[in-house]
Amino acid sequence: MDNFSFCTPTRYVFGHEAECKAATLCHEAGWKHVMIVYGGQSAIRSGLLDRVRKSLGDTGITVTELGGVKPNPTDDKVYDGIALGREAGVDALLAVGGGSVIDTAKAIAAGILYEGDFWDFYCGKSTVEKVLPLGVILTIPAAGSEGSGNSVITRLDGLRKLSLRTDTELRPKFACLNPELTYTLPPYQTASGIADMMVHIMERYFTLTEGVEVTDRLCEGLLKAIIAEAPKVMAEPENYDARANIMWSGTLAHNGICGCGRREDWASHFIEHELSALYNVTHGAGLAVITPAWMSYVGERRPAKVAQFARRVFDVTENDDSKAAMEGIRLLREFFHSIGLPVSMKELGIENPDIEKLVGKLHENKGPKIGGYLSLEAKDTEAIFNLAR
Amino acid sequence: MDNFSFCTPTRYVFGHEAECKAATLCHEAGWKHVMIVYGGQSAIRSGLLDRVRKSLGDTGITVTELGGVKPNPTDDKVYDGIALGREAGVDALLAVGGGSVIDTAKAIAAGILYEGDFWDFYCGKSTVEKVLPLGVILTIPAAGSEGSGNSVITRLDGLRKLSLRTDTELRPKFACLNPELTYTLPPYQTASGIADMMVHIMERYFTLTEGVEVTDRLCEGLLKAIIAEAPKVMAEPENYDARANIMWSGTLAHNGICGCGRREDWASHFIEHELSALYNVTHGAGLAVITPAWMSYVGERRPAKVAQFARRVFDVTENDDSKAAMEGIRLLREFFHSIGLPVSMKELGIENPDIEKLVGKLHENKGPKIGGYLSLEAKDTEAIFNLAR
């Protein structure tokens, strides 16, 4: 096991009417002027935004609003938010939505107190120090941003999708998680969220670090639970307990508990980021395509952990590591299919992927080598894109 | 799944030389005068205390010391610490030891700023509000107090062993966990710690709350990992990775992550507290005796979850719930025996337990009914003590 330092100070308020506690949490934190960040029409149509706005007003908090955040969020909205927040003099942010909304709010929280360009944090030119505090009302369980210190933003100029990782600076002060708010999510978005959280666990699971049995077992347990609950939410969108299990899994998948003391991988995410930057596909659906392809490639070359995954998560009984690994990948693809996800670029609607461009962008953005479980150069990532066609 | 509010702000600094970071953590927190709380000779003999003292001094922090905390810690030491801390004017505490030391430090942290008797918090007369901050250097993985907001103290007058539970008030600001510091733990203490952490998980696992698959799987995964790593630490006390897995399990077993969204049980702990209060046995060893007896009693009356435990933790394949439950309990007792723990009061050295007194004290301290998975009255707890003879 590797050394680690781990701190998750976010307060999780989970359950029925959790969103109703946001105003009190803002008030108790001493926030006076809050910028609500949100996405499209669903938060308006459902009445959620109205309720949040009113409850903040009732506690005497001034509200400024930034709507219209889109999936695969882009830098233009961040610049808008920074300008708006500075002008209005907000002292905190409340993200009402999923990962894109939260990641945008985090970028604004970091950028608003920074003299330079917020993008400096994402391309590694500068380190986050002072940020505005942030709260979350989660409506899409997927990205896990409600419990993480990370944020992913796409730069429109050049289509670079980059992530910023902080220790605790950008972890939300609180996250309100009401599974009922996810009842109306379209099936494809529900399924994509499930793939996203599963791959967040798998990026940490696939490691060469030895002696990490506890964290292996946590990862496997979470994956088994997600695989058991996923068919229930697909069949019965208003099954509270199934929605609750999926929602809580999404947070635990990415708040860091699955990665303590081990080198992580993240190749699948890096590869998928190019796919969604170039073709604007749903991130989780992109992962359902890329991750099994990545597993096939690494499973042929380094089967041990893929075989452990197959045996412990999918109860594969095959003794040979290579065969067990391949069977595990087959079952993973079958599972993704069963909840309505694509497992090839073709199924994702990309008939003729520009693999040369994807590989070029990938290594331009992430360097000549990516991945912790197996180090991948351009020739490897090209093969993986081809396996995913 | 039940509603919950969950926050674990403790920073875990884990790995080689983790204890060397304590002084920096105290300094960064702005602490000027720290009371080091410790136990017996081992922290002195090993040189750990000298190193901690020196590193605090090097960063300009004034040190006051309170040694001599004993297992099953008692109120007299807490009163000493409160008086000493007030006189010296300490502004923070650093516990160097295991659960008894940490629990004593927590009681002092709560009592020192309170005008009344600190015992008010433990017997429910008053609620903790203002506390001194607390750091931990852990030397015994068992009680999980390094990550919890709880503390257990025994009142000498009347032998009442009571627990205080707080949300975040008494959670340590940081906990330094170096598995190497546990190399020299005697085998019996290592094994007792393992039983303690397993039962911390099981007290949360056994619930009637439905729809908690994620947390069930986390509990089962942690238990499986502990059962895999325990024989290694017993056979090779200096196996770093095995010690690391056991140490991290002990923290996760009790920081609350295993109990989110579910009613907990705690009958085994309440029952065992009477045993250690009356016969001063090692808490974890007492649990190895009491918990399987409790499981036998509840497994006969409500076998479902005990059967799930048997199947998922011990891979029992029996289809009948009652039979599966009994087989799981047999395997748990076999496991405790295999690491050198007693599974009966006789093996624990209590030949003629005063069961009438134990039952009387138990319900005097904890009320007429205890337990969440199965509600137990005096006739039930008497039967459990008899099953544990």
Side-chain angles (χ1 to χ4, degrees):
Chain A
M1 197 186 295
D2 294 338
N3 294 352
F4 64 87
S5 176
F6 178 58
C7 182
T8 52
T10 304
R11 174 170 295 279
Y12 303 115
V13 177
F14 193 102
H16 300 285
E17 302 188 344
E19 73 280 14
C20 302
K21 290 168 191 143
T24 307
L25 290 161
C26 292
H27 181 71
E28 285 172 357
W31 301 347
K32 305 291 182 207
H33 189 158
V34 170
M35 185 195 291
I36 301 180
V37 183
Y38 65 97
Q41 294 299 311
S42 68
I44 301 171
R45 266 202 315 271
S46 68
L48 173 61
L49 208 63
D50 265 345
R51 281 186 287 141
V52 173
R53 199 182 279 135
K54 183 173 180 308
S55 63
L56 286 173
D58 288 349
T59 58
I61 293 170
T62 308
V63 170
T64 291
E65 290 182 29
L66 179 78
V69 174
K70 298 219 163 48
N72 297 321
T74 47
D75 57 349
D76 53 340
K77 190 57 80 177
V78 178
Y79 290 117
D80 288 354
I82 290 172
L84 180 66
R86 281 180 182 158
E87 198 184 303
V90 303
D91 60 8
L93 294 106
L94 180 62
V96 182
S100 300
V101 167
I102 305 169
D103 284 5
T104 300
K106 284 178 177 176
I108 297 167
I112 211 163
L113 299 179
Y114 178 64
E115 284 188 13
D117 183 349
F118 91 92
W119 190 251
D120 291 353
F121 301 131
Y122 290 73
C123 63
K125 267 197 208 159
S126 188
T127 308
V128 172
E129 287 178 5
K130 272 181 74 183
V131 305
L132 285 190
L134 170 79
V136 170
I137 295 174
L138 188 67
T139 62
I140 310 173
S145 189
E146 69 279 6
S148 85
N150 309 346
S151 162
V152 181
I153 298 289
T154 297
R155 192 153 181 90
L156 284 172
D157 170 17
L159 284 183
R160 298 183 73 189
K161 188 168 183 174
L162 294 186
S163 25
L164 163 64
R165 297 180 153 224
T166 69
D167 174 36
T168 56
E169 290 79 357
L170 287 177
R171 288 186 188 262
K173 298 302 166 202
F174 63 81
C176 299
L177 304 117
N178 177 356
E180 292 167 329
L181 296 183
T182 71
Y183 284 175
T184 53
L185 275 179
Y188 189 69
Q189 211 171 350
T190 297
S192 297
I194 288 166
D196 195 9
M197 61 184 75
M198 287 177 72
V199 180
H200 285 157
I201 300 164
M202 292 162 72
E203 299 280 17
R204 293 168 166 101
Y205 182 73
F206 288 104
T207 184
L208 295 178
T209 310
E210 296 196 346
V212 287
E213 181 69 4
V214 167
T215 315
D216 272 6
R217 288 286 183 191
L218 291 182
C219 291
E220 291 154 0
L222 275 174
L223 288 167
K224 273 189 100 74
I226 294 168
I227 290 165
E229 299 297 314
K232 299 184 200 165
V233 294
M234 300 313 294
E236 310 161 54
E238 304 203 358
N239 179 327
Y240 180 84
D241 281 338
R243 286 283 190 188
N245 276 289
I246 291 295
M247 195 170 211
W248 188 224
S249 296
T251 302
L252 296 178
H254 201 47
N255 78 349
I257 192 90
C258 291
C260 287
R262 49 207 287 144
R263 184 166 176 201
E264 303 181 3
D265 190 83
W266 295 99
S268 295
H269 263 74
F270 287 174
I271 295 171
E272 198 291 323
H273 281 177
E274 298 311 320
L275 213 57
S276 47
L278 191 59
Y279 297 105
N280 202 30
V281 300
T282 303
H283 172 57
L287 287 170
V289 172
I290 294 297
T291 306
W294 172 85
M295 287 170 82
S296 298
Y297 192 79
V298 304
E300 269 191 21
R301 286 150 185 83
R302 195 164 274 164
K305 201 71 185 257
V306 189
Q308 182 182 313
F309 167 90
R311 293 184 186 121
R312 292 190 179 178
V313 176
F314 279 108
D315 301 316
V316 169
T317 53
E318 168 64 49
N319 284 325
D320 178 76
D321 273 4
S322 295
K323 286 182 191 163
M326 293 308 135
E327 178 62 5
I329 297 162
R330 190 188 69 75
L331 290 165
L332 179 64
R333 282 207 176 97
E334 192 174 280
F335 168 77
F336 284 149
H337 257 166
S338 76
I339 59 170
L341 288 174
V343 298
S344 67
M345 286 200 253
K346 198 172 175 181
E347 289 178 359
L348 197 53
I350 308 169
E351 291 282 342
N352 293 301
D354 186 342
I355 291 182
E356 197 184 327
K357 186 170 180 184
L358 287 164
V359 171
K361 274 279 176 197
L362 171 59
H363 293 285
E364 185 190 317
N365 285 336
K366 303 291 164 38
K369 292 184 182 184
I370 63 167
Y373 183 64
L374 187 70
S375 179
L376 306 172
E377 300 172 22
K379 67 171 174 42
D380 308 300
T381 55
E382 185 188 340
I384 291 168
F385 276 118
N386 275 311
L387 284 169
R389 284 181 88 108
Chain B
M1 195 186 297
D2 294 339
N3 294 353
F4 64 87
S5 176
F6 179 58
C7 182
T8 51
T10 304
R11 174 170 294 279
Y12 303 115
V13 177
F14 193 102
H16 301 285
E17 302 189 341
E19 73 279 13
C20 302
K21 290 167 192 145
T24 306
L25 290 160
C26 292
H27 181 70
E28 285 172 359
W31 302 349
K32 305 290 184 206
H33 189 157
V34 169
M35 185 195 290
I36 302 179
V37 183
Y38 64 96
Q41 293 300 308
S42 67
I44 301 171
R45 267 201 315 270
S46 68
L48 173 61
L49 206 65
D50 265 345
R51 280 186 289 140
V52 173
R53 198 183 280 134
K54 185 175 178 307
S55 63
L56 287 173
D58 287 349
T59 59
I61 293 170
T62 307
V63 169
T64 291
E65 290 182 31
L66 179 78
V69 175
K70 299 220 164 47
N72 298 320
T74 48
D75 58 348
D76 53 339
K77 188 59 77 177
V78 177
Y79 290 116
D80 289 353
I82 290 172
L84 179 67
R86 281 181 182 157
E87 199 185 303
V90 302
D91 61 8
L93 295 104
L94 179 62
V96 182
S100 301
V101 167
I102 305 169
D103 284 4
T104 300
K106 284 178 176 175
I108 297 168
I112 211 163
L113 299 180
Y114 178 65
E115 283 188 12
D117 182 348
F118 91 93
W119 189 251
D120 291 353
F121 301 131
Y122 288 73
C123 63
K125 267 196 208 159
S126 187
T127 307
V128 172
E129 286 177 7
K130 271 181 73 180
V131 306
L132 286 189
L134 170 79
V136 169
I137 295 174
L138 187 67
T139 61
I140 309 173
S145 189
E146 69 280 7
S148 85
N150 309 345
S151 161
V152 181
I153 298 289
T154 297
R155 192 152 182 92
L156 283 172
D157 170 17
L159 285 184
R160 296 184 74 190
K161 188 170 184 174
L162 294 186
S163 26
L164 163 63
R165 295 181 154 224
T166 69
D167 174 35
T168 55
E169 291 79 357
L170 287 178
R171 288 188 189 261
K173 299 302 165 201
F174 63 82
C176 299
L177 305 116
N178 177 357
E180 291 167 328
L181 296 181
T182 71
Y183 284 175
T184 52
L185 275 178
Y188 188 69
Q189 212 171 350
T190 298
S192 297
I194 288 166
D196 195 9
M197 60 185 75
M198 287 177 72
V199 180
H200 285 158
I201 300 165
M202 292 162 72
E203 298 281 18
R204 294 169 165 100
Y205 182 73
F206 287 104
T207 185
L208 295 178
T209 311
E210 295 196 347
V212 287
E213 181 69 3
V214 167
T215 314
D216 272 6
R217 287 287 183 190
L218 291 183
C219 291
E220 292 154 358
L222 275 175
L223 288 167
K224 274 191 98 74
I226 294 168
I227 291 166
E229 299 298 314
K232 298 184 201 168
V233 294
M234 300 313 293
E236 310 161 53
E238 304 203 359
N239 180 328
Y240 180 85
D241 280 338
R243 286 285 191 188
N245 275 290
I246 290 296
M247 195 170 211
W248 187 225
S249 296
T251 302
L252 296 177
H254 201 47
N255 78 349
I257 191 89
C258 290
C260 287
R262 48 207 289 147
R263 183 166 177 200
E264 305 181 1
D265 190 84
W266 295 99
S268 294
H269 264 75
F270 288 175
I271 296 172
E272 197 291 324
H273 281 176
E274 298 311 321
L275 213 58
S276 46
L278 192 58
Y279 298 105
N280 202 31
V281 300
T282 303
H283 172 56
L287 287 169
V289 171
I290 294 298
T291 306
W294 172 85
M295 287 170 82
S296 298
Y297 191 80
V298 303
E300 270 192 20
R301 286 150 187 82
R302 195 162 274 165
K305 201 73 185 255
V306 189
Q308 181 182 314
F309 166 91
R311 292 183 188 122
R312 292 190 179 179
V313 176
F314 279 109
D315 302 316
V316 169
T317 53
E318 169 64 49
N319 284 325
D320 177 78
D321 272 5
S322 294
K323 286 183 191 163
M326 293 308 135
E327 178 62 4
I329 297 162
R330 191 189 68 74
L331 289 166
L332 179 64
R333 283 207 174 97
E334 192 175 278
F335 168 77
F336 284 148
H337 257 166
S338 77
I339 59 171
L341 288 174
V343 298
S344 68
M345 286 200 254
K346 197 171 175 183
E347 289 179 359
L348 198 52
I350 307 169
E351 291 281 343
N352 294 301
D354 187 342
I355 289 181
E356 198 184 327
K357 186 169 181 184
L358 287 164
V359 172
K361 274 279 174 196
L362 171 60
H363 293 285
E364 183 189 319
N365 286 336
K366 304 291 164 38
K369 291 183 180 183
I370 63 168
Y373 182 65
L374 187 70
S375 180
L376 305 173
E377 300 173 23
K379 69 171 172 41
D380 308 300
T381 55
E382 185 187 341
I384 291 168
F385 276 119
N386 275 312
L387 283 168
R389 285 181 86 109

